[in-house]
Every structure is written in C-alpha cells, then in structure tokens.
Amino acid sequence: MSREPMTTADWDRLKEAAQSAMGKAYAPYSKFPVGAAALTSDGRLISGCNVENAAYGVVLCAECTMVGELHMSGGGQLQAFYCVGGDGEVLMPCGRCRQLLFEHRAPGMELMTVNGIKTMDQVLPDAFGPDDLTEY
C-alpha cells in the first residue's frame, strides 16, 4: 500500500489509506464498512478493513486486520492511526480495538479522533497491557 516510507504522520495520507481500505470491507450484515490505516515506527503505511461473519460475534474489526498486516509485513509498532466509517470520516475505535492498538503502540502513538489528534494514553488512560503481565 505504501508509496514512500513516512517518518512523521501525514494525516491526509493516513485518511486516504483508511478510506481506500474501507472500500474493501466485507460488511453484508451491518452495511457499515470501516477502514483503518497506520504509520509504523519504521515508516510503513499499513491498513485494514472490517470483515464480517454470519456469526456476528466473530467479526474482525478493521483494526484487527490492520494489526495482522503489521505482523505479516515485518512487525514493529504503531506510531499514528486513522479510522474511518462508511461516510469516509473519522471514526473512534471500539473498546476492544483501543486495547489492541494500545498493545501495539509505539511510545507517544497518536490517533486522529472525533476531537482532533490525541495520544493513545489520552484515548485509553490507565490501560492494562503487556507490562502488567511481566510482574507475574
């Protein structure tokens, strides 16, 4: 998907990539396509779309398929993130996906939100994550 590696968040390019991914969504049940895109810590641009299933509870959110691409394309961490709904405008990740993004974030990761750019820590304060498990 990436043309040239990014070193800082190009929010317009992230939105464009999320909109493009949204166009590939498989949402025959909800009719609510979602696309997500992120800049990785090594400059890759990755994306994902929601993939529904007739067993509604096993739907893959766009963030899930995007994190799959993160690992399939070399791993790393998420530096900047953008998600759009069916109208092509910014959409906040659900709670499960906020947790997923938190786990794969780079320090200082930023997200485009309905209220502008925020850090992951602002979007999901006091989150439980991998560091909490190392204590045990």
Side-chain angles (χ1 to χ4, degrees):
M1 161 123 242
S2 178
R3 294 174 277 202
E4 293 291 322
M6 286 193 286
T7 56
T8 59
D10 177 339
W11 295 104
D12 290 334
R13 189 167 162 200
L14 283 168
K15 181 178 183 179
E16 178 184 297
Q19 290 171 331
S20 177
M22 185 260 305
K24 298 172 184 159
Y26 178 72
Y29 308 107
S30 71
K31 309 283 190 256
F32 192 79
V34 177
L39 168 64
T40 66
S41 54
D42 65 0
R44 287 174 290 134
L45 178 60
I46 60 170
S47 62
C49 63
N50 59 322
V51 178
E52 295 182 346
N53 187 292
Y56 295 134
V58 292
V59 167
L60 294 174
C61 294
E63 295 86 344
C64 295
T65 63
M66 185 194 74
V67 167
E69 183 179 341
L70 173 71
H71 289 283
M72 293 288 294
S73 66
Q77 297 178 311
L78 305 173
Q79 183 176 324
F81 172 82
Y82 208 117
C83 185
V84 298
D87 62 359
E89 295 303 315
V90 68
L91 179 69
M92 287 300 293
C94 69
R96 175 182 92 164
C97 289
R98 291 180 196 199
Q99 182 69 35
L100 183 67
L101 294 171
F102 177 82
E103 181 137 349
H104 296 281
R105 79 197 183 293
M109 176 189 167
E110 294 180 319
L111 297 80
M112 181 59 72
T113 75
V114 294
N115 292 309
I117 299 166
K118 294 188 177 194
T119 67
M120 188 74 241
D121 292 333
Q122 290 173 312
V123 172
L124 193 63
D126 304 321
F128 178 87
D131 292 341
D132 295 297
L133 295 174
T134 60
E135 295 176 17
Y136 300 98

